[in-house]
């Protein structure tokens, strides 16, 4: 499963990068687009969908619903933990870079005419001229002063950092440590340690465990996490419907990548891995692996957009359309996956 999730991020990032090269969105939106194309909702939706499929009559995963549900919850929980590691390291890095680029462009008035939407550029230039022009200055005086005091800077020369190898390596290591210290990442690591060490597991997990209260408390909080995150997503969708500067073609590209290209690639990857003997014969496990390629974007992307103050309105619009399409696409692909595995 870790390799499968890594493939989803790798393929999604490659397709997102290709979409950025073709559609040429603003520079600071490229990391956002790659994040939406690569990071799927690997936890919450699987915890809802997989047990529900096990409860259906005639499912291809066996007649014992309780056993199917137990295994499905185990696979979904593992997917959520591993997905959290990838999202809060790789996706976090993409969003952080986009935020830094956006704020640097704002603070230094850096413009990228070749890679920006026309509407975004017009609004950006108009806002700069109004903010920089004092009330007593005429346009001619403003033009002359700007030529002397504020020479134009290109994106490549201003945003790019020409640092040495060791400086870049030190910053990369520091950033990796910072990402690994994120609370979701630490929680996932602690969960893996407790699950893999027998004596720790016997202390916390089980009816006769002396510290069973920890498991009960975490389970109680976990049961409320899914509806809370869903409510937060609904609140985020109210923003940006009239403020987004992304082209419609970018949104269509993200939807096509997530619900057309990725599921097809997922079927090929899982069937190839099963054909060479890398996967067990459990059809439920292969179903979860295929489903990881057809999920809508991770909700944590919206949290990161708010954290770094970049693309919040655009996130709302993308979330709106991707989750609307997911109602049909996820059902369709789930049916296709079960027909393949039956």
């Amino acid at each position: 499963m870790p390799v499968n999730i890594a493939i989803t991020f790798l393929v999604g990032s490659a397709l997102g990068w290709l979409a950025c090269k073709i559609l040429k969105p603003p520079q600071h939106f490229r990391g956002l687009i790659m994040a939406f194309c690569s990071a799927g909702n690997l936890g919450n939706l699987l915890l809802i969908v997989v047990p529900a499929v096990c409860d259906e009559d005639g499912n291809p995963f066996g007649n014992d619903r309780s056993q199917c549900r137990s295994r499905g919850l185990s696979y979904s929980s593992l997917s959520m933990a591993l997905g959290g590691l990838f999202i809060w390291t790789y996706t976090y890095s993409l969003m952080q870079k986009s935020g830094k680029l956006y704020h640097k462009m704002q603070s230094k008035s850096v413009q990228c005419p070749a890679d920006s939407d026309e509407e975004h550029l017009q609004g950006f230039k108009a806002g700069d001229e109004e903010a920089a022009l004092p009330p007593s200055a005429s346009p001619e005086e403003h033009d002359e002063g700007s030529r002397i005091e504020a020479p134009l800077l290109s994106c490549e020369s201003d945003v790019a950092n020409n640092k040495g190898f060791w400086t870049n390596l030190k910053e990369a290591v520091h950033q990796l440590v910072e990402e690994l210290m994120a609370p979701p990442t630490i929680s996932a690591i602690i969960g893996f340690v407790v699950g893999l060490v027998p004596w720790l597991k016997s202390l916390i997990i089980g009816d006769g465990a002396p510290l069973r209260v920890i498991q009960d408390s975490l389970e109680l909080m976990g049961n409320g996490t899914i509806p809370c995150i869903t409510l937060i997503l609904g609140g985020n969708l109210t923003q940006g419907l009239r403020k987004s500067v992304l082209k419609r073609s970018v949104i269509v590209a993200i939807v096509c990548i997530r619900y057309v290209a990725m599921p097809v690639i997922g079927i090929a990857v899982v069937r190839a891995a099963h054909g060479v003997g890398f996967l067990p014969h459990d059809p439920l496990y292969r179903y979860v692996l295929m489903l990881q390629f057809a999920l809508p974007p991770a909700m944590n992307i919206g949290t990161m957009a708010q954290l770094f103050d970049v693309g919040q309105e655009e996130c709302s619009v993308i979330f709106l359309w991707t989750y609307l399409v997911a109602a049909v696409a996820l059902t369709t692909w789930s049916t296709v996956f079960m027909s393949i595995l039956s």
Side-chain angles (χ1 to χ4, degrees), residues 183-257:
T185 307
I186 296 176
S187 301
I189 294 174
I190 293 175
F192 282 125
V193 172
V194 172
L196 293 174
V197 179
W199 66 272
L200 281 177
K201 183 177 180 180
S202 61
L203 284 176
I204 300 175
I205 300 174
D207 295 335
L211 300 178
R212 188 183 61 182
V213 64
I214 298 178
Q215 179 189 3
D216 295 339
S217 301
L218 293 176
E219 186 176 356
L220 182 63
M221 290 188 293
N223 290 334
T225 300
I226 296 176
C228 287
I229 292 179
T230 306
L231 289 174
I232 293 173
L233 173 65
N236 290 336
L237 294 181
T238 60
Q239 304 176 10
L241 292 180
R242 298 181 181 178
K243 300 178 183 178
S244 174
V245 297
L246 278 181
K247 296 178 181 178
R248 294 180 181 177
S249 57
V250 174
I251 300 175
V252 172
I254 294 174
V255 171
C256 291
I257 289 173

Side-chain angles (χ1 to χ4, degrees), residues 53-68:
V53 171
C54 289
D55 292 337
E56 292 294 326
D57 295 329
N59 69 79
F61 310 126
N63 297 325
D64 191 348
R65 296 185 180 181
S66 61
Q67 185 179 4
C68 175

Side-chain angles (χ1 to χ4, degrees), residues 1 18 20 22 131 171 212 217 225 280:
M1 187 175 290
L18 184 61
C20 291
I22 296 174
E171 291 181 355
R212 188 183 61 182
S217 301
T225 300

Side-chain angles (χ1 to χ4, degrees), residues 20 34 43 82 134 158 182 242 342:
C20 291
M34 292 176 63
L82 294 173
D158 187 73
R242 298 181 181 178
S342 60

Side-chain angles (χ1 to χ4, degrees), residues 96-332:
Q96 187 180 42
K97 290 178 181 178
S98 296
K100 289 181 178 179
L101 178 60
Y102 174 67
H103 292 299
K104 186 174 290 187
M105 290 170 62
Q106 276 196 329
S107 62
K108 296 187 178 181
S109 300
V110 179
Q111 301 177 11
C112 305
D115 297 325
S116 302
D117 291 330
E118 294 180 358
E119 297 178 359
H120 179 73
L121 276 175
Q122 291 174 359
F124 193 80
K125 291 178 180 178
D128 284 350
E129 290 176 359
E130 292 176 1
L133 185 61
S136 60
S138 63
E140 292 79 5
E141 294 174 350
H142 170 67
D143 291 339
E144 293 177 359
S146 62
R147 291 170 188 167
I148 299 174
E149 298 177 2
L152 291 177
L153 299 174
S154 65
C155 281
E156 291 77 12
S157 61
D158 187 73
V159 177
N161 294 322
N162 297 322
K163 299 179 180 179
F165 172 76
W166 292 109
T167 304
N168 292 331
L169 180 61
K170 183 179 178 181
E171 291 181 355
V173 173
H174 181 269
Q175 182 177 351
L176 179 61
V177 173
E178 182 182 355
E179 293 166 358
L180 291 176
M181 294 303 293
T185 307
I186 296 176
S187 301
I189 294 174
I190 293 175
F192 282 125
V193 172
V194 172
L196 293 174
V197 179
W199 66 272
L200 281 177
K201 183 177 180 180
S202 61
L203 284 176
I204 300 175
I205 300 174
D207 295 335
L211 300 178
R212 188 183 61 182
V213 64
I214 298 178
Q215 179 189 3
D216 295 339
S217 301
L218 293 176
E219 186 176 356
L220 182 63
M221 290 188 293
N223 290 334
T225 300
I226 296 176
C228 287
I229 292 179
T230 306
L231 289 174
I232 293 173
L233 173 65
N236 290 336
L237 294 181
T238 60
Q239 304 176 10
L241 292 180
R242 298 181 181 178
K243 300 178 183 178
S244 174
V245 297
L246 278 181
K247 296 178 181 178
R248 294 180 181 177
S249 57
V250 174
I251 300 175
V252 172
I254 294 174
V255 171
C256 291
I257 289 173
R258 288 232 61 98
Y259 300 125
V260 178
M262 292 287 288
V264 173
I265 295 173
I267 293 174
V269 169
V270 174
R271 296 194 69 174
H274 181 258
V276 297
F278 288 161
L279 297 178
H281 294 287
D282 185 3
L284 181 60
Y285 184 71
R286 285 180 283 152
Y287 171 75
V288 172
L289 295 183
M290 289 183 181
L291 203 60
Q292 288 174 345
F293 284 87
L295 295 171
M299 298 181 187
N300 287 326
I301 298 176
T303 304
M304 296 176 190
Q306 294 179 351
L307 178 63
F308 298 115
D309 192 21
V310 57
Q312 298 181 45
E313 294 82 7
E314 288 71 25
C315 278
S316 300
V317 175
I318 296 173
F319 273 132
L320 175 64
W321 289 107
T322 51
Y323 275 83
L324 280 177
V325 177
V328 177
L330 192 58
T331 304
T332 303

